[in-house]
Amino acid sequence: MSNVNRFDVITIFPEYLAPLNLSLIGKAHSSGLIEIGIHDLRAQTTDVHGSVDDTPYGGGAGMVMSPEPWGKAIDAVAELAPDEIHELIVLTPAGEKLTQDLAQTLTKSKHLIFACGRYEGIDVRVSDYYATAKNFKVREVSIGDYVLGGGEVATLVIMEAIIRLLPGVIGNSASLDEESHTLTKDGDTLVEYPNYTKPKEWRGLEVPEILLSGNHGEIAKWRLEQALIRTNLRKESP
Ligand code: 6GU
């Protein structure tokens, strides 16, 4: 059983995932901390036009993605990690909302498969089928209450949220403990305190005196106060 986390993305726009080669994720991939595969759904089509969608049963606007190319593509990528449980993430604005807590949970999955729907989404029988298939788990996930053209950008968001939490990806892992939306020991989630660096004065704006004091106890107290103020401000204006 492989010790690295594997991520497979199925899409009709493989080029949309090009940013995965950059920065943190690019480095994690090239250093072998993670495996990433990007797969073109159209490779699984059989007709000359490479059709991946059709009109909805029951009528209505738009097109629905056909189940068979998805079934073939998902079966094929499952073979790339044959000993793992496959966590199939179906991207849809109707899904469970992404949170830091969900990102943390998904770090535990050794094999994540992202199914990027377009148009009016994927025939729901794809989710229904894999929900009971051997060695599969299914989650429908959304990144927020707005509608995107497809699941590709949502996949980038979710993968970045997960991958930066994996051991070895961020050099200074202590920076993960203090950041926004992380559960505190009291079970709350706070947004982060404000940060300052040099110079001491910039365009007439001063760094708070307390941060220059060298008094670590007082600084910790001030930062917690600031985090609470910011958290409460956000709750009043969601
Ligand atoms: Cl995952 N997909 C689409 N198409 N729109 C979204 C989304 C996903 N999450 C928020 N909006």
Side-chain angles (χ1 to χ4, degrees):
M1 200 179 281
S2 164
N3 211 16
V4 304
N5 302 53
R6 187 176 171 95
F7 300 80
D8 284 292
V9 184
I10 306 168
T11 169
I12 56 168
F13 293 118
E15 301 90 339
Y16 235 115
L17 285 302
L20 293 175
N21 292 318
L22 303 175
S23 182
L24 197 102
I25 301 178
K27 246 173 261 168
H29 186 202
S30 59
S31 70
L33 282 172
I34 55 173
E35 286 294 339
I36 296 179
I38 310 295
H39 310 273
D40 189 346
L41 180 70
R42 287 197 207 276
Q44 304 297 338
T45 57
T46 43
D47 67 316
V48 286
H49 305 291
S51 304
V52 291
D53 62 346
D54 212 327
T55 53
Y57 277 120
M63 300 290 270
V64 176
M65 295 189 100
S66 312
E68 184 55 10
W70 281 107
K72 285 184 178 157
I74 293 164
D75 289 348
V77 299
E79 288 303 310
L80 300 174
D83 302 325
E84 309 291 358
I85 300 292
H86 316 292
E87 185 128 11
L88 177 63
I89 309 288
V90 179
L91 288 312
T92 162
E96 152 189 21
K97 203 96 55 79
L98 176 69
T99 59
Q100 189 66 17
D101 191 46
L102 177 57
Q104 191 75 59
T105 298
L106 294 175
T107 62
K108 306 285 191 290
S109 290
K110 286 294 172 198
H111 191 207
L112 288 163
I113 302 172
F114 294 87
C116 300
R118 286 254 143 192
Y119 316 113
E120 302 307 309
I122 304 171
D123 186 315
V124 75
R125 288 173 294 179
V126 173
S127 291
D128 292 345
Y129 175 84
Y130 287 101
T132 61
K134 193 163 168 280
N135 297 333
F136 274 91
K137 283 189 199 163
V138 178
R139 282 179 197 270
E140 296 192 328
V141 180
S142 159
I143 62 165
D145 293 338
Y146 40 81
V147 178
L148 303 169
E152 287 79 6
V153 171
T155 295
L156 291 173
V157 169
I158 298 168
M159 283 181 65
E160 183 158 319
I162 297 168
I163 291 168
R164 63 189 294 286
L165 294 173
L166 296 174
V169 171
I170 288 189
N172 177 8
S173 64
S175 62
L176 295 176
D177 298 337
E178 291 199 340
E179 68 189 4
S180 296
H181 307 301
T182 303
L183 215 57
T184 67
K185 60 180 178 348
D186 305 321
D188 304 322
T189 64
L190 300 177
V191 297
E192 203 183 0
Y193 54 76
N195 287 300
Y196 296 86
T197 185
K198 289 182 264 304
K200 218 181 279 183
E201 192 214 309
W202 180 73
R203 298 192 180 180
L205 300 172
E206 308 250 10
V207 173
E209 204 56 44
I210 181 80
L211 298 178
L212 311 173
S213 69
N215 185 333
H216 297 298
E218 287 301 310
I219 290 171
K221 226 166 82 188
W222 181 85
R223 283 178 166 168
L224 178 59
E225 279 165 20
Q226 294 295 314
L228 289 166
I229 291 167
R230 288 174 138 201
T231 305
N232 289 331
L233 282 175
R234 269 186 18 138
K235 280 184 188 153
E236 282 157 25
S237 49

